[in-house]
Amino acid sequence: MVHTRIELPAREIAGGKEKRFTPSLTTYIIENNDEVDRNRKRPLVIICPGGAYGFKSFREAEPVALRMMALGFNACVLDYSVAPMDFPAAFMDLCEAVHYVRSQAGKLNCDPEKIIACGFSAGGHLAASLGVWWNSGMVEQYLPYGREEVRPNALLLGYPVISSGKFAHQGSLANLLGSRLGISELMDRASLEKNVSDATPPTFIWHTADDDCVPVQNTLLFTAALAEHGVPFESHIFRSGCHGLSLANRESAGTPVQVEDDVSIWPELFQNFLNGLFKTD
């Protein structure tokens, strides 16, 4: 395994040095070998852990990366900007991550057309943001890249924050928008179900029906928008489970209530979805 930390361009938003952050990618890359396939190019999953845009949960980072490797994918965990950094810092970080992975695809043994943006909770909002904004002009507005350079080929979203409306997770929005919380243009932009288009990438999304932190309606609103625009997707609403389940097994659980055997099958369901989507081995 190639396991290393790669620094991405630092962020400094208006406000001075106290709002400077250096994002990074931690790689979990399966090494090729002559005994199997020296030239194998695998899908790569960029993981954005949740934490309400205020911190990043370890439970939704390395355990997920290792699980993705066990399923035959390469993975990277993105350490992205959170409060007091605010919009669009985290979005720019994810753009930089996709650009880096695509530009270094040979070194990372990945297929540059099989890059998946993955996120949980607020990290799901970040991943889905790239899915709906990659071709909106925001990339060229903030970064020296073309939109195709940062385009994700698929999304993997776990109990994502999506909406800024009735079912919003207010803490995530407050951290994301900072002092600009409530500005109607930004609130509409942050309500991702309103920004889905025909160009949104195929999406695998899951949630639990009784999530009492980020209501399941966030996922339902997003999948309804995907269906309206004819975007391929697969959605799984599990009967029960608390927010922040991650893998829903003992590898990622911080407490016993974060183990849900019925939910822990989602990585295999995602693998099946991706195999069908990319027609991988």
Side-chain angles (χ1 to χ4, degrees):
M1 177 176 73
V2 178
H3 182 51
T4 189
R5 182 176 177 271
I6 299 157
E7 288 192 353
L8 299 173
R11 297 273 164 255
E12 186 169 335
I13 307 300
K17 293 182 179 179
E18 72 276 9
K19 299 185 76 174
R20 183 177 177 86
F21 176 74
T22 302
S24 65
L25 280 175
T26 300
T27 68
Y28 298 78
I29 305 300
I30 302 170
E31 294 187 74
N32 288 342
N33 188 278
D34 289 335
E35 291 187 28
V36 181
D37 183 355
R38 170 60 63 182
N39 299 310
R40 176 173 289 179
K41 302 298 179 185
R42 301 175 185 271
L44 186 144
V45 182
I46 300 176
I47 300 163
C48 304
Y53 282 115
F55 71 100
K56 286 141 291 189
S57 170
F58 170 81
R59 297 178 44 257
E60 295 165 345
E62 182 167 277
V64 177
L66 295 175
R67 188 74 186 97
M68 292 296 105
M69 288 185 70
L71 293 173
F73 308 132
N74 287 327
C76 294
V77 173
L78 176 61
D79 184 12
Y80 59 90
S81 301
V82 296
M85 304 288 282
D86 54 20
F87 178 82
F91 173 74
M92 295 163 67
D93 296 342
L94 182 52
C95 288
E96 293 279 10
V98 175
H99 175 266
Y100 177 85
V101 166
R102 185 163 277 134
S103 67
Q104 300 294 317
K107 179 180 177 181
L108 298 174
N109 297 334
C110 78
D111 186 326
E113 293 306 314
K114 296 179 182 178
I115 297 172
I116 301 96
C118 163
F120 300 87
S121 194
H125 186 275
L126 176 55
S129 294
L130 184 59
V132 300
W133 295 339
W134 71 269
N135 67 336
S136 67
M138 287 178 59
V139 175
E140 292 92 341
Q141 180 181 353
Y142 294 115
L143 295 165
Y145 308 128
R147 57 190 66 182
E148 288 291 334
E149 297 176 77
V150 304
R151 172 180 55 88
N153 302 104
L155 302 178
L156 164 56
L157 309 176
Y159 41 90
V161 174
I162 293 291
S163 182
S164 67
K166 178 180 178 182
F167 302 104
H169 184 257
Q170 297 295 339
S172 293
L173 290 173
N175 285 329
L176 174 66
L177 299 179
S179 62
R180 294 172 293 169
L181 181 68
I183 296 176
S184 58
E185 179 184 354
L186 286 178
M187 295 295 283
D188 284 344
R189 182 172 285 184
S191 206
L192 303 181
E193 78 277 14
K194 298 180 180 180
N195 294 272
V196 171
S197 72
D198 296 357
T200 301
T203 300
F204 180 94
I205 186 169
W206 69 272
H207 219 120
T208 56
D210 59 354
D211 189 324
D212 63 357
C213 180
V214 176
V216 69
Q217 284 88 345
N218 282 264
T219 283
L220 298 177
L221 288 167
F222 198 70
T223 54
L226 294 172
E228 181 179 350
H229 286 275
V231 176
F233 72 92
E234 183 169 317
S235 175
H236 294 271
I237 308 299
F238 297 98
R239 179 182 60 83
S240 185
C242 65
H243 186 71
L245 285 175
S246 185
L247 296 174
N249 64 17
R250 289 173 179 79
E251 289 300 315
S252 66
T255 65
V257 298
Q258 292 167 338
V259 176
E260 289 283 354
D261 291 339
D262 291 346
V263 181
S264 66
I265 63 170
W266 75 258
E268 286 79 10
L269 296 173
F270 167 67
Q271 181 186 39
N272 291 339
F273 171 76
L274 211 63
N275 286 345
L277 183 65
F278 292 150
K279 295 182 172 57
T280 57
D281 294 335

